Amino acid sequence: MPDVGWGFIGASTIAREHMVAAVRAQPGHDVVAVASARRERAEAFAAEHGIARAYDSVHALLADQAVKAVYVSTTNERHCEQVLAAAAAGKHVLCEKPLALSVDDAQRMVAACRDAGVVMATNHHLRNAATHRKLRELVAQGAIGRPLYARVFHAVHLRPLVQGWRIDRPQAGGGAILDIVVHDADVLRFVFQAEPVRALAMCQSGVMAREGIEDGAMAVFELDNGVLAQVHAAFTVPHAGTGIEIHGDRGSLIGRGVMTAHPVGDVLLRDAQGEHAVPVVHENLYAGGVARFSEAMRGAGRPAATGEDGVRSLAAALAVAEACRTGASAPAGVHMRPLSDAA
Ligand code: NDP
């Protein structure tokens, strides 16, 4: 019996490729159950990963006494209901981004977990990248002077394996904004320790995604520290490469190849002394997230991205969607709901 048994809600690609191993990398943690809407998918996933129990309902998984924490990685429209049920069952919750399809639902999820006294975290994995942690540290130390601008390069080509609902089911919360821009907003919040206040944006669709679902977006956020941040996110661009640039009045930081699921990429500092490589020690982004979640469960720390972070980053992404729709700037901040407002 592991110290911490995890129940996986969702027999998903991210669970298969990253999260089973991330949980098992944590001493005393194991995945003991998986639930899928389809029994055969749950059973196949369990067999593939040596998971003891497979369920065809979330409620059956939540009734499993060996499950202390759940990881929710179903399609986006299911996160809210499943997290509310997990909180009601007293399970700690690590939920995929975007937390929900609306800020209101996301706030209900956070409030329900707080009221139930369970830890809630959002799987914004990029906060666990050694590169992003170094960028945050250098910005805070004043390495570039006063931060003024950022540019996030996150135009990628969506693998056929994960195209599905992302490009053809608007009701599942597909599209590049909820899939990618939400991460970019979270990275900006993390690196600058500042909040987006408004967004301007334009979108593209119909290249890969069904007409009406954006498969690319260009946005500009204004942050509450005065920084202007440009974001380019797309499903349709195979050769752009990813990265982030942060420009201040005394220097610039360049993160090359860093907007990814993998522990790769490098950081450069360019200033009056020239260009210097900044050393980073890479570590698995998802294992790092589970490690921090585990500390929070022991009452010894905070998750890398809390539920509240998930709400704020979702609000920023939805502001981009709103700005695309209206052509006007949209407010990107959010007032967090007080406790005991989960109804
Ligand atoms: P998948 O499409 O692989 O899985 C999502 C759900 O689709 C599964 O839970 C499953 O439902 C269903 N499903 C899986 N395989 C099939 C199939 N063959 N036929 C029909 N339905 C199927 O999604 P991803 O793993 O790409 O994404 C899942 C979640 O994780 C999303 O919220 C996404 O935003 C997030 N994500 C986060 C990442 C990160 O780095 N933080 C990276 C990638 C995704 P059921 O469980 O009912 O079987």
Side-chain angles (χ1 to χ4, degrees):
M1 204 46 179
D3 296 340
V4 180
W6 284 74
F8 273 31
I9 300 177
S12 66
T13 307
I14 174 86
R16 173 177 292 109
E17 292 184 348
H18 295 284
M19 293 305 291
V20 172
V23 165
R24 289 180 171 160
Q26 196 56 30
H29 289 234
D30 196 9
V31 185
V32 297
V34 59
S36 163
R38 296 260 301 276
R39 170 162 293 282
E40 60 272 26
R41 211 154 52 221
E43 284 172 352
F45 192 95
E48 185 187 343
H49 298 284
I51 296 170
R53 288 178 293 286
Y55 297 109
D56 63 3
S57 98
V58 171
H59 289 281
L61 179 138
L62 294 175
D64 187 328
Q65 294 301 309
V67 171
K68 300 283 183 282
V70 297
Y71 166 60
V72 176
S73 68
T74 49
T75 44
N76 301 332
E77 84 287 15
R78 291 187 272 171
H79 296 173
C80 178
E81 187 188 338
Q82 292 169 341
V83 168
L84 294 180
K91 314 290 185 186
H92 301 289
V93 175
L94 172 57
C95 183
E96 269 306 340
K97 46 50 66 170
L99 283 186
L101 304 190
S102 72
V103 171
D104 202 49
D105 278 354
Q107 298 244 47
R108 287 198 299 137
M109 295 154 73
V110 170
C113 288
R114 278 191 201 151
D115 288 351
V118 296
V119 172
M120 181 180 171
T122 313
N123 208 25
H124 279 301
H125 64 294
L126 290 166
R127 286 175 177 241
N128 304 305
T131 47
H132 291 74
R133 298 178 91 80
K134 182 56 77 179
L135 291 169
R136 172 178 160 115
E137 188 186 307
L138 290 170
V139 168
Q141 285 170 359
I144 57 166
R146 178 180 170 195
L148 299 173
Y149 298 101
R151 299 197 291 181
V152 179
F153 305 91
H154 207 167
V156 297
H157 193 265
L158 203 58
R159 292 178 291 160
L161 175 68
V162 293
Q163 288 180 6
W165 55 270
R166 282 181 172 81
I167 61 167
D168 63 15
R169 278 184 52 212
Q171 67 278 18
I177 294 174
L178 287 184
D179 202 50
I180 302 179
V181 173
V182 70
H183 276 311
D184 302 334
D186 193 68
V187 164
L188 293 168
R189 296 183 52 249
F190 177 70
V191 167
F192 288 109
Q193 303 187 57
E195 295 298 333
V197 289
R198 66 190 175 114
L200 278 163
M202 294 178 87
C203 295
Q204 201 172 67
S205 74
V207 181
M208 176 190 283
R210 206 175 92 183
E211 199 62 50
I213 301 178
E214 80 289 344
D215 47 29
M218 284 189 151
V220 178
F221 288 111
E222 179 190 358
L223 306 187
D224 64 5
N225 61 354
V227 164
L228 296 182
Q230 190 184 72
V231 168
H232 179 201
F235 289 160
T236 48
V237 182
H239 302 296
T242 72
I244 180 168
E245 295 178 356
I246 300 165
H247 304 290
D249 62 359
R250 288 198 288 108
S252 290
L253 286 161
I254 320 290
R256 281 194 313 214
V258 298
M259 303 300 291
T260 157
H262 303 287
V264 295
D266 46 51
V267 174
L268 295 174
L269 172 62
R270 204 182 289 139
D271 59 16
Q273 278 74 52
E275 190 168 280
H276 337 270
V278 178
V280 291
V281 180
H282 289 294
E283 49 180 87
N284 184 291
L285 283 63
Y286 298 95
V290 176
R292 289 173 188 108
F293 185 84
S294 156
E295 283 162 20
M297 275 197 294
R298 290 201 309 271
R302 278 162 60 85
T306 61
E308 183 175 310
D309 285 314
V311 173
R312 292 185 185 280
S313 299
L314 173 64
L318 289 173
V320 168
E322 175 71 5
C324 289
R325 218 170 9 249
T326 63
S329 75
V334 60
H335 293 290
M336 293 303 296
R337 273 201 197 154
L339 287 172
S340 304
D341 193 17

